Amino acid sequence: MIVYLSITGIFISAILLYYNAANYKSSIYLGLYFMTVCFYGINQQVVLWSNSVFWISIIATNFTFLLYLIGPLSYLYIRSIVSDDARLKKTDVLHLIPMLIFLLASVPYILTS
């Protein structure tokens, strides 16, 4: 059930991004936040309840680095709403360091068959 809800959430987030990104720049952060939360739901469903080694290896190695974006995207959305400025600053790259470290650590697994 959670997989269907997550897929529906990804679809609704894509609609949010498509229709609101031009007018409200902070909705980009919100749409990406909802997408990463939906990816988290799919990841947890596959890892915890799936008996397929194939799907666990695909999801756990290729998409887990996206889960490290939940915190930074929520921070960027709240900051853009409070300050009415959705632009990224140079120091915002610091929020992405955990995701980049995990991505660099998983590159050897992503590139192997």
PDB file of all heavy atoms in Angstrom, residues 4 6 12 21-22 32-33 35-36 43 52-55 59 63 70 76 79 82 84 87 91 97-99 104 107 110:
ATOM      1  N   TYR A   4       2.088   2.355  -3.468  1.00  0.00           N
ATOM      2  CA  TYR A   4       1.110   3.076  -4.287  1.00  0.00           C
ATOM      3  C   TYR A   4       0.930   4.508  -3.804  1.00  0.00           C
ATOM      4  O   TYR A   4       0.800   5.433  -4.606  1.00  0.00           O
ATOM      5  CB  TYR A   4      -0.229   2.341  -4.287  1.00  0.00           C
ATOM      6  CG  TYR A   4      -0.134   0.959  -4.862  1.00  0.00           C
ATOM      7  CD1 TYR A   4      -0.442  -0.152  -4.101  1.00  0.00           C
ATOM      8  CD2 TYR A   4       0.303   0.759  -6.171  1.00  0.00           C
ATOM      9  CE1 TYR A   4      -0.338  -1.425  -4.618  1.00  0.00           C
ATOM     10  CE2 TYR A   4       0.414  -0.507  -6.698  1.00  0.00           C
ATOM     11  CZ  TYR A   4       0.092  -1.598  -5.921  1.00  0.00           C
ATOM     12  OH  TYR A   4       0.206  -2.851  -6.445  1.00  0.00           O
ATOM     13  N   SER A   6       3.222   6.257  -2.296  1.00  0.00           N
ATOM     14  CA  SER A   6       4.450   6.975  -2.636  1.00  0.00           C
ATOM     15  C   SER A   6       4.491   7.329  -4.121  1.00  0.00           C
ATOM     16  O   SER A   6       4.927   8.426  -4.481  1.00  0.00           O
ATOM     17  CB  SER A   6       5.668   6.138  -2.262  1.00  0.00           C
ATOM     18  OG  SER A   6       5.728   5.950  -0.875  1.00  0.00           O
ATOM     19  N   ILE A  12       1.960  13.674  -7.718  1.00  0.00           N
ATOM     20  CA  ILE A  12       1.421  14.953  -7.260  1.00  0.00           C
ATOM     21  C   ILE A  12       2.536  15.981  -7.095  1.00  0.00           C
ATOM     22  O   ILE A  12       2.353  17.169  -7.398  1.00  0.00           O
ATOM     23  CB  ILE A  12       0.618  14.747  -5.960  1.00  0.00           C
ATOM     24  CG1 ILE A  12      -0.649  13.966  -6.269  1.00  0.00           C
ATOM     25  CG2 ILE A  12       0.280  16.078  -5.300  1.00  0.00           C
ATOM     26  CD1 ILE A  12      -1.416  13.528  -5.055  1.00  0.00           C
ATOM     27  N   ALA A  21       6.294  26.115 -10.271  1.00  0.00           N
ATOM     28  CA  ALA A  21       7.712  26.480 -10.213  1.00  0.00           C
ATOM     29  C   ALA A  21       7.992  27.825 -10.861  1.00  0.00           C
ATOM     30  O   ALA A  21       8.890  28.546 -10.429  1.00  0.00           O
ATOM     31  CB  ALA A  21       8.563  25.394 -10.857  1.00  0.00           C
ATOM     32  N   ALA A  22       7.241  28.186 -11.886  1.00  0.00           N
ATOM     33  CA  ALA A  22       7.493  29.463 -12.562  1.00  0.00           C
ATOM     34  C   ALA A  22       7.053  30.644 -11.702  1.00  0.00           C
ATOM     35  O   ALA A  22       7.722  31.685 -11.691  1.00  0.00           O
ATOM     36  CB  ALA A  22       6.769  29.490 -13.900  1.00  0.00           C
ATOM     37  N   LEU A  32      10.399  19.010  -4.400  1.00  0.00           N
ATOM     38  CA  LEU A  32      11.525  18.081  -4.272  1.00  0.00           C
ATOM     39  C   LEU A  32      11.537  17.409  -2.900  1.00  0.00           C
ATOM     40  O   LEU A  32      11.889  16.234  -2.776  1.00  0.00           O
ATOM     41  CB  LEU A  32      12.838  18.816  -4.527  1.00  0.00           C
ATOM     42  CG  LEU A  32      13.053  19.281  -5.964  1.00  0.00           C
ATOM     43  CD1 LEU A  32      14.338  20.093  -6.067  1.00  0.00           C
ATOM     44  CD2 LEU A  32      13.079  18.110  -6.915  1.00  0.00           C
ATOM     45  N   TYR A  33      11.126  18.164  -1.862  1.00  0.00           N
ATOM     46  CA  TYR A  33      11.019  17.577  -0.521  1.00  0.00           C
ATOM     47  C   TYR A  33       9.987  16.454  -0.520  1.00  0.00           C
ATOM     48  O   TYR A  33      10.247  15.369   0.011  1.00  0.00           O
ATOM     49  CB  TYR A  33      10.654  18.659   0.487  1.00  0.00           C
ATOM     50  CG  TYR A  33      10.311  18.118   1.848  1.00  0.00           C
ATOM     51  CD1 TYR A  33      11.308  17.698   2.708  1.00  0.00           C
ATOM     52  CD2 TYR A  33       8.991  18.017   2.264  1.00  0.00           C
ATOM     53  CE1 TYR A  33      11.005  17.189   3.952  1.00  0.00           C
ATOM     54  CE2 TYR A  33       8.680  17.509   3.505  1.00  0.00           C
ATOM     55  CZ  TYR A  33       9.683  17.101   4.347  1.00  0.00           C
ATOM     56  OH  TYR A  33       9.377  16.585   5.570  1.00  0.00           O
ATOM     57  N   MET A  35       8.976  14.680  -3.014  1.00  0.00           N
ATOM     58  CA  MET A  35       9.483  13.559  -3.810  1.00  0.00           C
ATOM     59  C   MET A  35      10.469  12.713  -3.016  1.00  0.00           C
ATOM     60  O   MET A  35      10.413  11.483  -3.065  1.00  0.00           O
ATOM     61  CB  MET A  35      10.141  14.065  -5.091  1.00  0.00           C
ATOM     62  CG  MET A  35       9.200  14.381  -6.174  1.00  0.00           C
ATOM     63  SD  MET A  35      10.113  14.711  -7.678  1.00  0.00           S
ATOM     64  CE  MET A  35       8.777  15.179  -8.740  1.00  0.00           C
ATOM     65  N   THR A  36      11.373  13.357  -2.283  1.00  0.00           N
ATOM     66  CA  THR A  36      12.344  12.587  -1.512  1.00  0.00           C
ATOM     67  C   THR A  36      11.677  11.830  -0.375  1.00  0.00           C
ATOM     68  O   THR A  36      12.096  10.720  -0.036  1.00  0.00           O
ATOM     69  CB  THR A  36      13.467  13.485  -0.967  1.00  0.00           C
ATOM     70  OG1 THR A  36      12.896  14.555  -0.217  1.00  0.00           O
ATOM     71  CG2 THR A  36      14.323  14.029  -2.087  1.00  0.00           C
ATOM     72  N   ASN A  43      11.738   3.197  -0.456  1.00  0.00           N
ATOM     73  CA  ASN A  43      12.967   2.567   0.024  1.00  0.00           C
ATOM     74  C   ASN A  43      12.681   1.696   1.246  1.00  0.00           C
ATOM     75  O   ASN A  43      13.136   0.543   1.317  1.00  0.00           O
ATOM     76  CB  ASN A  43      13.998   3.645   0.360  1.00  0.00           C
ATOM     77  CG  ASN A  43      15.335   3.069   0.743  1.00  0.00           C
ATOM     78  OD1 ASN A  43      15.578   1.886   0.601  1.00  0.00           O
ATOM     79  ND2 ASN A  43      16.205   3.915   1.250  1.00  0.00           N
ATOM     80  N   SER A  52      12.915  -9.770  -2.443  1.00  0.00           N
ATOM     81  CA  SER A  52      13.682  -9.795  -3.674  1.00  0.00           C
ATOM     82  C   SER A  52      15.049  -9.145  -3.455  1.00  0.00           C
ATOM     83  O   SER A  52      15.145  -7.954  -3.162  1.00  0.00           O
ATOM     84  CB  SER A  52      12.922  -9.045  -4.775  1.00  0.00           C
ATOM     85  OG  SER A  52      13.723  -8.922  -5.916  1.00  0.00           O
ATOM     86  N   VAL A  53      16.086  -9.926  -3.621  1.00  0.00           N
ATOM     87  CA  VAL A  53      17.444  -9.406  -3.474  1.00  0.00           C
ATOM     88  C   VAL A  53      17.745  -8.408  -4.585  1.00  0.00           C
ATOM     89  O   VAL A  53      18.449  -7.414  -4.370  1.00  0.00           O
ATOM     90  CB  VAL A  53      18.461 -10.571  -3.478  1.00  0.00           C
ATOM     91  CG1 VAL A  53      19.882 -10.055  -3.417  1.00  0.00           C
ATOM     92  CG2 VAL A  53      18.184 -11.510  -2.332  1.00  0.00           C
ATOM     93  N   PHE A  54      17.183  -8.636  -5.757  1.00  0.00           N
ATOM     94  CA  PHE A  54      17.403  -7.734  -6.889  1.00  0.00           C
ATOM     95  C   PHE A  54      16.900  -6.330  -6.570  1.00  0.00           C
ATOM     96  O   PHE A  54      17.622  -5.347  -6.742  1.00  0.00           O
ATOM     97  CB  PHE A  54      16.706  -8.286  -8.137  1.00  0.00           C
ATOM     98  CG  PHE A  54      16.736  -7.349  -9.301  1.00  0.00           C
ATOM     99  CD1 PHE A  54      17.905  -7.175 -10.034  1.00  0.00           C
ATOM    100  CD2 PHE A  54      15.610  -6.635  -9.657  1.00  0.00           C
ATOM    101  CE1 PHE A  54      17.938  -6.302 -11.107  1.00  0.00           C
ATOM    102  CE2 PHE A  54      15.634  -5.766 -10.733  1.00  0.00           C
ATOM    103  CZ  PHE A  54      16.801  -5.601 -11.455  1.00  0.00           C
ATOM    104  N   TRP A  55      15.638  -6.203  -6.102  1.00  0.00           N
ATOM    105  CA  TRP A  55      15.082  -4.879  -5.833  1.00  0.00           C
ATOM    106  C   TRP A  55      15.741  -4.215  -4.638  1.00  0.00           C
ATOM    107  O   TRP A  55      15.925  -2.992  -4.621  1.00  0.00           O
ATOM    108  CB  TRP A  55      13.568  -4.957  -5.632  1.00  0.00           C
ATOM    109  CG  TRP A  55      12.862  -5.142  -6.924  1.00  0.00           C
ATOM    110  CD1 TRP A  55      12.190  -6.242  -7.334  1.00  0.00           C
ATOM    111  CD2 TRP A  55      12.798  -4.208  -7.995  1.00  0.00           C
ATOM    112  NE1 TRP A  55      11.707  -6.046  -8.597  1.00  0.00           N
ATOM    113  CE2 TRP A  55      12.066  -4.810  -9.031  1.00  0.00           C
ATOM    114  CE3 TRP A  55      13.290  -2.930  -8.195  1.00  0.00           C
ATOM    115  CZ2 TRP A  55      11.810  -4.172 -10.233  1.00  0.00           C
ATOM    116  CZ3 TRP A  55      13.030  -2.293  -9.391  1.00  0.00           C
ATOM    117  CH2 TRP A  55      12.306  -2.904 -10.384  1.00  0.00           C
ATOM    118  N   ILE A  59      17.460  -0.542  -5.107  1.00  0.00           N
ATOM    119  CA  ILE A  59      16.975   0.597  -4.321  1.00  0.00           C
ATOM    120  C   ILE A  59      18.017   1.035  -3.295  1.00  0.00           C
ATOM    121  O   ILE A  59      18.296   2.232  -3.148  1.00  0.00           O
ATOM    122  CB  ILE A  59      15.642   0.254  -3.632  1.00  0.00           C
ATOM    123  CG1 ILE A  59      14.550  -0.028  -4.650  1.00  0.00           C
ATOM    124  CG2 ILE A  59      15.210   1.355  -2.677  1.00  0.00           C
ATOM    125  CD1 ILE A  59      14.143   1.144  -5.489  1.00  0.00           C
ATOM    126  N   PHE A  63      19.509   4.641  -4.920  1.00  0.00           N
ATOM    127  CA  PHE A  63      18.630   5.758  -4.597  1.00  0.00           C
ATOM    128  C   PHE A  63      18.697   6.212  -3.147  1.00  0.00           C
ATOM    129  O   PHE A  63      18.009   7.160  -2.774  1.00  0.00           O
ATOM    130  CB  PHE A  63      17.179   5.395  -4.932  1.00  0.00           C
ATOM    131  CG  PHE A  63      16.971   5.092  -6.382  1.00  0.00           C
ATOM    132  CD1 PHE A  63      16.657   3.817  -6.796  1.00  0.00           C
ATOM    133  CD2 PHE A  63      17.116   6.074  -7.326  1.00  0.00           C
ATOM    134  CE1 PHE A  63      16.468   3.531  -8.125  1.00  0.00           C
ATOM    135  CE2 PHE A  63      16.931   5.805  -8.664  1.00  0.00           C
ATOM    136  CZ  PHE A  63      16.612   4.529  -9.072  1.00  0.00           C
ATOM    137  N   ILE A  70      16.370  15.185   2.442  1.00  0.00           N
ATOM    138  CA  ILE A  70      15.126  15.549   3.130  1.00  0.00           C
ATOM    139  C   ILE A  70      15.353  16.731   4.070  1.00  0.00           C
ATOM    140  O   ILE A  70      14.597  17.702   4.053  1.00  0.00           O
ATOM    141  CB  ILE A  70      14.548  14.333   3.875  1.00  0.00           C
ATOM    142  CG1 ILE A  70      14.085  13.288   2.864  1.00  0.00           C
ATOM    143  CG2 ILE A  70      13.390  14.744   4.770  1.00  0.00           C
ATOM    144  CD1 ILE A  70      13.631  11.992   3.481  1.00  0.00           C
ATOM    145  N   LEU A  76      15.668  24.605   3.319  1.00  0.00           N
ATOM    146  CA  LEU A  76      15.644  25.602   2.251  1.00  0.00           C
ATOM    147  C   LEU A  76      14.230  26.103   1.982  1.00  0.00           C
ATOM    148  O   LEU A  76      14.027  27.293   1.711  1.00  0.00           O
ATOM    149  CB  LEU A  76      16.258  25.021   0.971  1.00  0.00           C
ATOM    150  CG  LEU A  76      17.758  24.757   1.024  1.00  0.00           C
ATOM    151  CD1 LEU A  76      18.208  24.010  -0.206  1.00  0.00           C
ATOM    152  CD2 LEU A  76      18.523  26.047   1.194  1.00  0.00           C
ATOM    153  N   ARG A  79      13.269  28.407   4.967  1.00  0.00           N
ATOM    154  CA  ARG A  79      14.020  29.662   4.876  1.00  0.00           C
ATOM    155  C   ARG A  79      13.510  30.538   3.747  1.00  0.00           C
ATOM    156  O   ARG A  79      13.421  31.759   3.880  1.00  0.00           O
ATOM    157  CB  ARG A  79      15.507  29.378   4.675  1.00  0.00           C
ATOM    158  CG  ARG A  79      16.335  30.652   4.784  1.00  0.00           C
ATOM    159  CD  ARG A  79      17.744  30.463   4.389  1.00  0.00           C
ATOM    160  NE  ARG A  79      17.780  30.206   2.953  1.00  0.00           N
ATOM    161  CZ  ARG A  79      18.855  29.824   2.300  1.00  0.00           C
ATOM    162  NH1 ARG A  79      19.956  29.598   2.941  1.00  0.00           N
ATOM    163  NH2 ARG A  79      18.817  29.605   1.017  1.00  0.00           N
ATOM    164  N   VAL A  82      10.169  32.106   4.971  1.00  0.00           N
ATOM    165  CA  VAL A  82      10.329  33.103   6.029  1.00  0.00           C
ATOM    166  C   VAL A  82      10.999  34.368   5.504  1.00  0.00           C
ATOM    167  O   VAL A  82      10.584  35.486   5.820  1.00  0.00           O
ATOM    168  CB  VAL A  82      11.118  32.500   7.211  1.00  0.00           C
ATOM    169  CG1 VAL A  82      11.514  33.555   8.214  1.00  0.00           C
ATOM    170  CG2 VAL A  82      10.299  31.421   7.884  1.00  0.00           C
ATOM    171  N   ASP A  84      11.351  35.291   2.215  1.00  0.00           N
ATOM    172  CA  ASP A  84      10.876  35.684   0.879  1.00  0.00           C
ATOM    173  C   ASP A  84      12.001  35.777  -0.140  1.00  0.00           C
ATOM    174  O   ASP A  84      11.993  36.625  -1.030  1.00  0.00           O
ATOM    175  CB  ASP A  84      10.135  37.020   0.929  1.00  0.00           C
ATOM    176  CG  ASP A  84       8.751  36.881   1.502  1.00  0.00           C
ATOM    177  OD1 ASP A  84       8.196  35.768   1.412  1.00  0.00           O
ATOM    178  OD2 ASP A  84       8.226  37.877   2.027  1.00  0.00           O
ATOM    179  N   ARG A  87      16.509  32.193  -3.456  1.00  0.00           N
ATOM    180  CA  ARG A  87      17.802  31.968  -4.091  1.00  0.00           C
ATOM    181  C   ARG A  87      18.736  31.175  -3.184  1.00  0.00           C
ATOM    182  O   ARG A  87      18.700  31.307  -1.972  1.00  0.00           O
ATOM    183  CB  ARG A  87      18.461  33.300  -4.447  1.00  0.00           C
ATOM    184  CG  ARG A  87      17.766  34.025  -5.578  1.00  0.00           C
ATOM    185  CD  ARG A  87      18.438  35.310  -5.923  1.00  0.00           C
ATOM    186  NE  ARG A  87      18.095  36.277  -4.868  1.00  0.00           N
ATOM    187  CZ  ARG A  87      18.943  37.173  -4.396  1.00  0.00           C
ATOM    188  NH1 ARG A  87      20.160  37.242  -4.850  1.00  0.00           N
ATOM    189  NH2 ARG A  87      18.566  38.008  -3.448  1.00  0.00           N
ATOM    190  N   THR A  91      26.873  29.309   0.782  1.00  0.00           N
ATOM    191  CA  THR A  91      27.007  28.482   1.985  1.00  0.00           C
ATOM    192  C   THR A  91      25.979  27.355   2.038  1.00  0.00           C
ATOM    193  O   THR A  91      26.097  26.471   2.893  1.00  0.00           O
ATOM    194  CB  THR A  91      26.868  29.349   3.247  1.00  0.00           C
ATOM    195  OG1 THR A  91      25.609  30.020   3.213  1.00  0.00           O
ATOM    196  CG2 THR A  91      27.986  30.366   3.330  1.00  0.00           C
ATOM    197  N   ILE A  97      26.664  18.319   1.904  1.00  0.00           N
ATOM    198  CA  ILE A  97      27.868  17.519   2.115  1.00  0.00           C
ATOM    199  C   ILE A  97      27.558  16.074   2.510  1.00  0.00           C
ATOM    200  O   ILE A  97      28.173  15.154   1.959  1.00  0.00           O
ATOM    201  CB  ILE A  97      28.809  18.205   3.130  1.00  0.00           C
ATOM    202  CG1 ILE A  97      29.434  19.431   2.467  1.00  0.00           C
ATOM    203  CG2 ILE A  97      29.886  17.257   3.624  1.00  0.00           C
ATOM    204  CD1 ILE A  97      30.292  20.255   3.397  1.00  0.00           C
ATOM    205  N   PRO A  98      26.624  15.786   3.428  1.00  0.00           N
ATOM    206  CA  PRO A  98      26.347  14.376   3.745  1.00  0.00           C
ATOM    207  C   PRO A  98      25.866  13.581   2.536  1.00  0.00           C
ATOM    208  O   PRO A  98      26.261  12.429   2.345  1.00  0.00           O
ATOM    209  CB  PRO A  98      25.265  14.441   4.823  1.00  0.00           C
ATOM    210  CG  PRO A  98      25.423  15.764   5.434  1.00  0.00           C
ATOM    211  CD  PRO A  98      25.893  16.668   4.347  1.00  0.00           C
ATOM    212  N   MET A  99      25.022  14.190   1.695  1.00  0.00           N
ATOM    213  CA  MET A  99      24.552  13.503   0.500  1.00  0.00           C
ATOM    214  C   MET A  99      25.705  13.240  -0.463  1.00  0.00           C
ATOM    215  O   MET A  99      25.807  12.161  -1.038  1.00  0.00           O
ATOM    216  CB  MET A  99      23.464  14.327  -0.202  1.00  0.00           C
ATOM    217  CG  MET A  99      22.786  13.593  -1.312  1.00  0.00           C
ATOM    218  SD  MET A  99      22.944  14.135  -3.021  1.00  0.00           S
ATOM    219  CE  MET A  99      23.626  15.695  -3.075  1.00  0.00           C
ATOM    220  N   LEU A 104      29.480   9.633  -3.129  1.00  0.00           N
ATOM    221  CA  LEU A 104      30.838   9.230  -3.490  1.00  0.00           C
ATOM    222  C   LEU A 104      31.181   7.844  -2.953  1.00  0.00           C
ATOM    223  O   LEU A 104      31.906   7.085  -3.602  1.00  0.00           O
ATOM    224  CB  LEU A 104      31.845  10.258  -2.979  1.00  0.00           C
ATOM    225  CG  LEU A 104      31.826  11.601  -3.709  1.00  0.00           C
ATOM    226  CD1 LEU A 104      32.776  12.584  -3.031  1.00  0.00           C
ATOM    227  CD2 LEU A 104      32.183  11.425  -5.170  1.00  0.00           C
ATOM    228  N   VAL A 107      29.378   5.222  -5.322  1.00  0.00           N
ATOM    229  CA  VAL A 107      29.679   5.217  -6.759  1.00  0.00           C
ATOM    230  C   VAL A 107      30.249   3.888  -7.239  1.00  0.00           C
ATOM    231  O   VAL A 107      29.853   3.390  -8.301  1.00  0.00           O
ATOM    232  CB  VAL A 107      30.595   6.415  -7.130  1.00  0.00           C
ATOM    233  CG1 VAL A 107      31.242   6.239  -8.490  1.00  0.00           C
ATOM    234  CG2 VAL A 107      29.787   7.696  -7.115  1.00  0.00           C
ATOM    235  N   ILE A 110      27.309   1.629  -7.675  1.00  0.00           N
ATOM    236  CA  ILE A 110      26.401   2.069  -8.732  1.00  0.00           C
ATOM    237  C   ILE A 110      26.946   1.710 -10.113  1.00  0.00           C
ATOM    238  O   ILE A 110      26.202   1.326 -11.008  1.00  0.00           O
ATOM    239  CB  ILE A 110      26.134   3.591  -8.612  1.00  0.00           C
ATOM    240  CG1 ILE A 110      25.329   3.886  -7.339  1.00  0.00           C
ATOM    241  CG2 ILE A 110      25.394   4.119  -9.830  1.00  0.00           C
ATOM    242  CD1 ILE A 110      25.187   5.357  -7.041  1.00  0.00           C
TER     243      ILE A 110
END
